[in-house]
Amino acid sequence: MESLNPTQRRIHQAAFRLFAERGTSQVNILDLAQEAGVARGTVYSNIDNMESLFEAVASHLAKEMHERVNKSFNSLSDPAPRLANGIRLFIRRAHEDSQWGAFIHKFAMSNASLREMFSSQATTDLLSGLSSGRYTFEKGQLLSVMTLISSSVLGSIFLVLEGHKTWRESGSDTAELVLRALGVPPEEARALAITELPALPSLD
């Protein structure tokens, strides 16, 4: 949202909260104006339509999370700990910011920007792990592996949001099971899944 003026930023932040809570079809201009604390005319003059507003919100969220997770990998070259950390960073953030978690859980599979958030860096790391022998799956299975990872993360976010598991339990279990599915030995997969997780870096 770097290019937005203060009023637009306020509207986008209000839209994010409403979309996370209600979904896209249950939000109208009046709701948005009330949530943002502005007049309806101000909303009309600052957005084209609800569809483009949603896409802008989702695109910003995806770009921001992708850049922060990628920045946290600066000192890691091994694809296995990168994957273990990436999985847990998503799940921990859903715990720390339940609105963010709800937005991701609702829309990650249906929105192209959010799908790209999951797949862009992970695809590179998976192919790197495959070529180095770190992972054992067929190259033709890459799309299925990506679906396995993203659906596992979203399922874990659901468990955390619903209070069935803590983020540490859900994150570690998911990271361990995904790594084992990719061919990482069980003991190593567990060790990587419970390693201290770094803070999610801010974007300067």
Side-chain angles (χ1 to χ4, degrees):
M1 298 185 189
E2 294 79 1
S3 62
L4 302 180
N5 64 45
T7 299
Q8 291 169 334
R9 185 182 300 273
R10 194 169 175 177
I11 291 170
H12 279 234
Q13 290 171 341
F16 162 71
R17 294 191 295 270
L18 290 173
F19 290 144
E21 178 185 345
R22 305 181 189 179
T24 55
S25 63
Q26 301 300 315
V27 179
N28 58 42
I29 294 295
L30 178 59
D31 296 329
L32 187 54
Q34 291 176 337
E35 181 70 20
V38 299
R40 280 185 293 177
T42 302
V43 174
Y44 280 116
S45 64
N46 280 280
I47 70 169
D48 293 327
N49 51 59
M50 281 294 183
E51 291 76 17
S52 62
L53 176 61
F54 172 79
E55 184 54 45
V57 170
S59 178
H60 167 77
L61 185 151
K63 180 175 183 291
E64 182 252 7
M65 187 59 175
H66 169 74
E67 291 180 0
R68 292 179 72 183
V69 171
N70 200 43
K71 188 176 180 181
S72 76
F73 292 158
N74 281 345
S75 62
L76 287 176
S77 58
D78 185 340
R82 286 165 67 99
L83 179 57
N85 283 6
I87 287 171
R88 293 183 296 151
L89 285 170
F90 273 88
I91 296 167
R92 184 177 68 186
R93 186 167 184 186
H95 160 73
E96 294 173 343
D97 183 349
S98 60
Q99 286 183 328
W100 184 92
F103 192 98
I104 291 292
H105 187 260
K106 277 186 173 74
F107 304 117
M109 288 299 194
S110 61
N111 178 265
S113 295
L114 296 177
R115 290 197 302 270
E116 178 71 10
M117 172 185 67
F118 276 111
S119 65
S120 55
Q121 186 59 52
T123 299
T124 301
D125 286 346
L126 286 168
L127 291 174
S128 172
L130 184 62
S131 65
S132 67
R134 194 72 163 105
Y135 297 145
T136 54
F137 62 90
E138 298 296 326
K139 191 171 182 179
Q141 295 176 315
L142 179 62
L143 185 58
S144 295
V145 172
M146 287 303 312
T147 303
L148 169 68
I149 294 170
S150 58
S151 59
S152 296
V153 171
L154 292 175
S156 292
I157 286 175
F158 173 80
L159 292 178
V160 172
L161 292 176
E162 293 295 311
H164 298 302
K165 285 202 167 193
T166 67
W167 78 263
R168 290 183 187 277
E169 293 170 335
S170 193
S172 294
D173 285 350
T174 301
E176 177 187 355
L177 293 171
V178 167
L179 289 175
R180 290 177 65 173
L182 295 178
V184 176
E187 289 187 5
E188 183 185 5
R190 183 60 184 170
L192 291 173
I194 61 175
T195 299
E196 185 67 25
L197 190 61
L200 192 61
S202 60
L203 297 178
D204 300 325

